[in-house]
Amino acid sequence: MEFNPELEKIIANSRLVAINLNSGYISSFHFLIATLKSDNLAHKIFESHNWQFKKLIETLRSDDERKVNRYYLTQEFEDILKNAKFYARTYLDKKVNSEHIIFAMLANKNSYAGNYLNEIGMDYFKFKSECEKIRIVKSNRLLEIIGSNKLLVSIGLLHIINKI
């Protein structure tokens, strides 16, 4: 399954966010911040809650690290990107969108950004409810049950299902 063009733009912006914050890597935190720089469903939901992630940006900012030309994805963010394909399939979309990345973050107990979103009041089902306010959300119920279960996600069931 392909990423939609808007998502590719957000991922590219994640690199710019990492550069601006003097990070030598691109993580799910950088992706969260990059969603605010384009017009996407996740941004609309974050904006409706008045979340600008200022505290997160301050936490990531480091004057001690130097900028580097090559950036790598953290394993955590790489797993999220892979799992996002499962959520696109779950919600019957032909391409992976920003909301699928957020679903993958929220469902993964090892996701730093997902845990951050939980701390500020967003969970998987609340995010789905917010999505439904903006667009029609259809789903494969069985895949949704599996994908919303943090235990099943953490043991790697989504990777197995993605291969089917």
Side-chain angles (χ1 to χ4, degrees), residues 51-65:
W51 293 340
Q52 297 178 4
F53 305 117
K54 288 179 185 174
K55 182 179 175 185
L56 177 60
I57 293 168
E58 290 171 11
T59 301
L60 293 174
R61 192 174 310 278
S62 169
D63 295 331
D64 297 333
E65 293 183 40

Side-chain angles (χ1 to χ4, degrees), residues 27 31 46 52-53 59-60 70 90 94 108 113-114 116 118 133 135 144:
S27 74
F31 179 86
F46 298 152
Q52 297 178 4
F53 305 117
T59 301
L60 293 174
R70 298 195 64 147
T90 298
K94 294 181 191 240
N108 184 337
Y116 178 82
N118 287 160
K133 292 177 183 177
R135 73 171 181 109
E144 185 175 30

